[in-house]
Amino acid sequence: MNLVEKILARASGKPSVEPGEIVIAEVDMLLMHDLSGYLTSGVYDKQVGLPIPHPERTLMVFDHHYSPPTEQQADVLHHNREWARRTGINLLDCGNGNLHHAAVRGGFVKPGMIVVGSDSHTPVHGALGALAVALGNDSHAGTVLPYGKAWFRVPETVRIELTGAPRPGTTPRDIALWLTAEIGEGTMNYKALEFTGPYVKQLGFWDRWLFPLLCVDLGAKSSYVEPDEVTEAFVRALPGGLPYDLPRGDGGEAATVLRYDVSDVVPQVACPPTVGNAKAVSDVAGRQVRYAELGGHGGGRIEDIRTAAEVLHGHTVHPDTRFNIVPSSREVFAQAVREGLVLALHEAGATWFPPSTGSNQAINMGAMAAGEAMISTHARNFPGRNGSTRAEMYLASARTVAASAVAGEIAERSTR
Amino acid sequence: MRFEGRSWAFGDNIPTDRLVKPQYVFEPVEVMAQHVLEDLDPEFPLQVAAGDIVVTGRHFGQSSGRAIATKALKGTGIGCVVAESFARTFYRNCFEVGLPAIEVPGIKDLVNRGDVLSVDLSAGEVVNTTTGARATGSPADPFLIDMLEAGGLIALAAKRPELFGT
């Protein structure tokens, strides 16, 4: 059995499982943000209302908000706080970072776990070797909270092998965006994707993270990187360390293997209306951007902030563009302070925002007027997600986002 | 499980953000239902009738995994949703909230808005009774049919506690 099958067999108490089979398995961690937490708790209180036997297996993070801008939104957070206190679940309040980064940094997710959440990017925890799957509120309220279980269809696994050494200036984020277009949105429906190959294996943890992140746009159920020495060293340094041996699959042949060479990939921008609409930066260079943002599930990492500081060295943000930096967690902001990046980027004209999910869905920031455009490290670019349906969101690497902030338009290098 | 109804036709890659726009996510289901898909077809939320069938293209319901988009769509009273393919959380959420869903490759080209469709969920079959065209898709798993018959996942868990209880 591969890693996904092993995890599902263990958690459903079966000696083995087969793709296509529906099993009911124990869930190790439920992750919710302020919006999904509100909806799930509402369904739970109205329609279920049973005791929660394992509140320690649920984490709620307020990440779409870092401070509520309206009374209605304050009510949402107030309700969530009260619900978390009443049920005893873990809560990380405003300012702790975005859900997935905060969950990893806090040691809530470990290799081999079954992790669920309504947030569609929940599968990103496959970067740790967890089986991480996005479910809906009714699964959480109806079976995960009261029984600690959920139903799963055992997915077929597709192995994606990446080889080659990327060109200078092409970052892992560019490779991930390119791959989304190359494989095709919605073409991996219901599959589990294993990312492997020499290119993936040599990446550090937070660069590997960018690959399971894209699996939802491909349509996949989950995605993972087989745990190895990189995973082990990373997890050992987290709160709680590695409490058991690293889980591993049997390494058998996958039914489907897709191979890609990343050597010729140039920097990419995912253009509206969907994440799979990736083009070479040079194809869209010159499009004016009113906003540039490092943040969201795909950005706000210390790696992104270091890159931005490098790109802005000796430059300033274009006067017609706002460059917003949203650290993915408190730990990342602290690290940026220690490395002097906060002052350097502030003096170059960037604006720092509290650790959160930033402009994601424009709940707390990031709404745009018709005709405006943003370039960001976010995970989504659907029209209407950030204000006007006639505003445009472009997704790129931290390097391209920072260069565009300097140029005031989509640009590969900071040439102003 | 069979359904018959008048169809509404939509395109490919429609995300949940267009089913329910971010400004309505905290509103009650009845309010969300009054705005479902209004950007893509302003007549839809105004004229949709109980038992109608929504037909869409590839990768329907991508983006958010929260069940509100399926609840809003169910809130319009439609009987069933047919797509070339679904985003998997959307497909899962359809059954969990009690909204029948079926994946039928090629369906988009066989249906014009207003055609009357007959859908057999267990057999995975759709017949366009207006034109006579037929298409075969994926039958729903018996576990999912049980879920629909119970009225959704929460109702199923209450009705059959041995499924999820210890």
Side-chain angles (χ1 to χ4, degrees):
Chain A
M1 289 187 288
N2 65 31
L3 184 68
V4 166
E5 292 157 359
K6 272 194 170 177
I7 293 173
L8 281 172
R10 168 192 60 77
S12 61
K14 293 179 164 223
S16 67
V17 295
E18 294 284 335
E21 185 182 346
I22 286 182
V23 299
I24 290 171
E26 286 222 28
V27 168
D28 300 293
M29 184 54 62
L30 165 61
L31 301 177
M32 300 191 289
H33 51 56
D34 27 7
L35 308 185
S36 56
Y38 183 71
L39 296 165
T40 300
S41 61
V43 174
Y44 193 79
D45 286 348
K46 284 195 198 86
Q47 297 181 47
V48 183
L50 299 166
I52 296 178
H54 291 291
E56 76 284 2
R57 294 185 195 165
T58 294
L59 169 66
M60 180 158 28
V61 180
F62 292 177
D63 69 350
H64 283 62
H65 295 87
Y66 48 78
S67 182
T70 65
E71 182 180 352
Q72 186 191 37
Q73 287 165 273
D75 284 342
V76 167
L77 301 188
H78 179 71
H79 165 93
N80 284 353
R81 283 186 194 107
E82 187 278 324
W83 193 80
R85 249 194 309 274
R86 177 154 55 85
T87 56
I89 65 154
N90 299 288
L91 171 66
L92 293 174
D93 212 306
C94 297
N96 275 292
N98 94 50
L99 169 63
H100 301 303
H101 291 255
V104 169
R105 297 272 180 184
F108 290 95
V109 179
K110 303 285 176 185
M113 277 186 171
I114 292 187
V115 180
V116 301
S118 306
D119 186 81
S120 59
H121 289 99
T122 304
V124 72
H125 296 284
L128 283 159
L131 171 60
V133 184
L135 312 180
N137 323 333
D138 285 26
S139 267
H140 304 143
T143 70
V144 178
L145 288 168
Y147 303 113
K149 292 179 184 171
W151 67 274
F152 298 93
R153 180 184 168 279
V154 181
E156 294 82 16
T157 299
V158 174
R159 184 173 292 164
I160 297 172
E161 285 184 10
L162 303 182
T163 56
R167 297 151 58 118
T170 297
T171 70
R173 169 75 165 172
D174 297 301
I175 306 283
L177 291 174
W178 170 81
L179 203 56
T180 310
E182 199 71 12
I183 297 175
E185 284 173 286
T187 61
M188 292 288 140
N189 256 356
Y190 314 115
K191 308 279 195 248
L193 310 183
E194 179 194 359
F195 284 102
T196 187
Y199 173 72
V200 174
K201 288 297 185 183
Q202 55 85 39
L203 294 174
F205 176 78
W206 288 110
D207 282 336
R208 291 179 175 188
W209 175 265
L210 301 172
F211 291 87
L213 186 72
L214 61 82
C215 85
V216 57
D217 297 296
L218 300 174
K221 178 194 198 96
S222 69
S223 169
Y224 67 101
V225 178
E226 183 81 22
D228 61 7
E229 58 288 349
V230 172
T231 322
E232 182 162 356
F234 179 79
V235 176
R236 283 199 188 284
L238 295 173
L242 184 62
Y244 42 69
D245 289 343
L246 267 193
R248 290 179 202 270
D250 292 338
E253 284 305 302
T256 310
V257 182
L258 303 175
R259 295 185 175 85
Y260 296 92
D261 184 342
V262 304
S263 308
D264 295 327
V265 179
V266 296
Q268 302 282 309
V269 176
C271 302
T274 62
V275 183
N277 190 23
K279 296 178 179 165
V281 176
S282 53
D283 288 350
V284 282
R287 169 71 171 100
Q288 185 184 54
V289 287
R290 294 297 193 186
Y291 298 91
E293 183 171 316
L294 294 188
H297 302 321
R301 308 168 306 154
I302 191 67
E303 291 81 358
D304 299 320
I305 295 167
R306 286 178 188 140
T307 299
E310 266 172 47
V311 172
L312 264 80
H313 185 73
H315 299 279
T316 52
V317 173
H318 192 281
D320 295 334
T321 302
R322 276 135 308 275
F323 186 21
N324 296 338
I325 304 185
V326 188
S328 58
S329 65
R330 297 182 78 83
E331 290 82 357
V332 163
F333 184 68
Q335 186 64 25
V337 170
R338 282 193 286 270
E339 295 183 20
L341 305 171
V342 173
L343 183 61
L345 285 162
H346 173 77
E347 287 185 338
T351 304
W352 287 86
F353 282 82
S356 65
T357 192
S359 291
N360 187 6
Q361 287 183 289
I363 300 290
N364 218 162
M365 63 186 284
M368 289 186 281
E372 289 192 319
M374 182 188 304
I375 187 165
S376 77
T377 54
H378 277 277
R380 287 275 159 74
N381 60 353
F382 307 136
R385 235 176 124 84
N386 287 83
S388 172
T389 50
R390 287 184 291 133
E392 293 184 321
M393 172 68 95
Y394 295 86
L395 311 175
S397 71
R399 183 178 298 277
T400 303
V401 170
S404 305
V406 171
E409 57 188 38
I410 296 178
E412 199 164 322
R413 287 180 210 84
S414 46
T415 49
R416 184 165 64 92
Chain B
M1 261 188 155
R2 287 168 171 280
F3 307 90
E4 190 163 299
R6 181 183 61 145
S7 61
W8 293 83
F10 293 91
D12 291 329
N13 292 318
I14 297 173
T16 52
D17 311 76
R18 301 203 86 169
L19 280 143
V20 177
K21 287 186 283 188
Q23 67 260 41
Y24 300 118
V25 298
F26 295 127
E27 300 290 343
V29 170
E30 307 77 62
V31 175
M32 290 193 281
Q34 286 162 12
H35 298 280
V36 170
L37 292 165
E38 64 184 2
D39 286 350
L40 296 168
D41 185 346
E43 293 178 353
F44 175 73
L46 301 175
Q47 295 179 10
V48 63
D52 282 359
I53 292 174
V54 165
V55 177
T56 75
R58 284 182 289 108
H59 210 204
F60 184 58
Q62 61 180 322
S63 187
S64 171
R66 300 191 292 277
I68 52 174
T70 48
K71 286 181 183 172
L73 195 55
K74 182 179 160 63
T76 64
I78 64 163
C80 174
V81 52
V82 186
E84 300 261 338
S85 67
F86 289 96
R88 62 156 284 281
T89 44
F90 192 88
Y91 183 77
R92 178 183 181 106
N93 284 334
C94 281
F95 288 90
E96 291 194 352
V97 307
L99 175 63
I102 180 169
E103 202 165 76
V104 185
I107 192 67
K108 216 177 67 169
D109 293 338
L110 299 179
V111 177
N112 292 309
R113 180 175 151 173
D115 288 355
V116 174
L117 304 186
S118 168
V119 177
D120 185 332
L121 209 62
S122 318
E125 245 181 22
V126 176
V127 178
N128 184 332
T129 54
T130 306
T131 66
R134 289 169 171 271
T136 308
S138 319
D141 189 279
F143 178 75
L144 298 178
I145 300 277
D146 286 352
M147 204 183 287
L148 288 178
E149 283 175 348
L153 177 65
I154 292 173
L156 179 71
K159 189 173 142 197
R160 292 178 55 194
E162 79 282 1
L163 277 178
F164 294 95
T166 42

